[in-house]
Amino acid sequence: MSRIGKMPVPVPTGVQVKIDGNTVTVKGPLGELTREFRPEMQIALEDGAVRVTRPNDERMNKALHGLTRALINNMVVGVHEGYTKVLEVLGTGYRAELQGTDLVMSLGFSHSVVVTPPLGIDFEVNPRTSTITVKGCDKEVVGRVAAEIRAWRPVEPYLGKGIRYQGEVVRRKAGKSGKAQ
């Protein structure tokens, strides 16, 4: 039995879960998420918790069991608490600011980089600490948008300039002279 799959997903107060066959809709204070799952997995709401069961112990069903439970848990946590990713902008002349809801970054290119947030995603910029916060209720979308922002100027290993996740460790290389700066 899958250790992750057999755990029930607790539904906190203020969150509504609706199961219609293999489609699960979760509605909470931060938004509403809907996802369709494979028909092999049986999803049931019982005693204020969502339970996922699998029909047999085939390899594919074992894999889907834990995955389905984890995705439902991410939906419940997302509409109740939300997800955030914090990015740090490091480098001389590198900066970020908000214009309306759009994120405008100066990253050493001849032009500014404008990132328009998808539906359900919000940006916050702190110019004092040069951080960009990506917020939303869908974990997958928050991670994808943060990765797209980071991809504009990944951290380079010689000077450490670029966009990195908060807490990300970048291995530094010695320059031409062979000594650390």
Side-chain angles (χ1 to χ4, degrees):
M1 192 76 178
S2 169
R3 280 185 263 180
I4 299 294
K6 70 181 178 182
M7 292 190 301
V9 178
V11 179
T13 56
V15 175
Q16 299 171 350
V17 177
K18 182 181 171 208
I19 301 168
D20 183 25
N22 58 344
T23 303
V24 177
T25 304
V26 182
K27 191 184 295 187
L30 297 181
E32 180 178 347
L33 296 173
T34 302
R35 188 175 207 126
E36 192 169 326
F37 294 97
R38 295 284 296 265
E40 295 90 5
M41 297 295 113
Q42 289 94 32
I43 304 167
L45 180 64
E46 44 192 55
D47 300 330
V50 178
R51 294 190 185 278
V52 179
T53 54
R54 64 178 185 238
N56 54 36
D57 286 343
E58 288 181 15
R59 186 174 180 88
M60 185 66 167
N61 289 335
K62 282 182 169 182
L64 288 174
H65 190 206
L67 173 71
T68 303
R69 188 262 178 209
L71 291 174
I72 292 172
N73 186 56
N74 289 345
M75 291 168 65
V76 170
V77 171
V79 298
H80 184 65
E81 299 168 12
Y83 288 101
T84 60
K85 286 269 188 182
V86 180
L87 300 159
E88 298 172 341
V89 181
L90 301 171
T92 307
Y94 291 6
R95 63 182 154 272
E97 61 186 13
L98 283 177
Q99 288 183 355
T101 58
D102 292 348
L103 177 67
V104 179
M105 299 179 289
S106 298
L107 300 173
F109 299 123
S110 62
H111 60 282
S112 296
V113 176
V114 179
V115 179
T116 304
L119 189 65
I121 298 294
D122 295 321
F123 295 132
E124 287 181 9
V125 176
N126 187 344
R128 296 180 92 197
T129 57
S130 297
T131 58
I132 303 167
T133 306
V134 181
K135 291 180 164 186
C137 63
D138 192 344
K139 187 176 187 177
E140 180 181 351
V141 177
V142 169
R144 181 176 46 82
V145 170
E148 288 171 359
I149 292 171
R150 184 181 179 277
W152 277 104
R153 188 65 88 175
V155 179
E156 54 94 22
Y158 295 101
L159 296 176
K161 294 169 58 171
I163 302 174
R164 70 174 78 180
Y165 295 112
Q166 190 173 40
E168 179 182 2
V169 177
V170 176
R171 291 191 59 201
R172 299 286 299 272
K173 292 183 178 179
K176 282 185 184 179
S177 62
K179 55 185 170 184
Q181 297 175 350

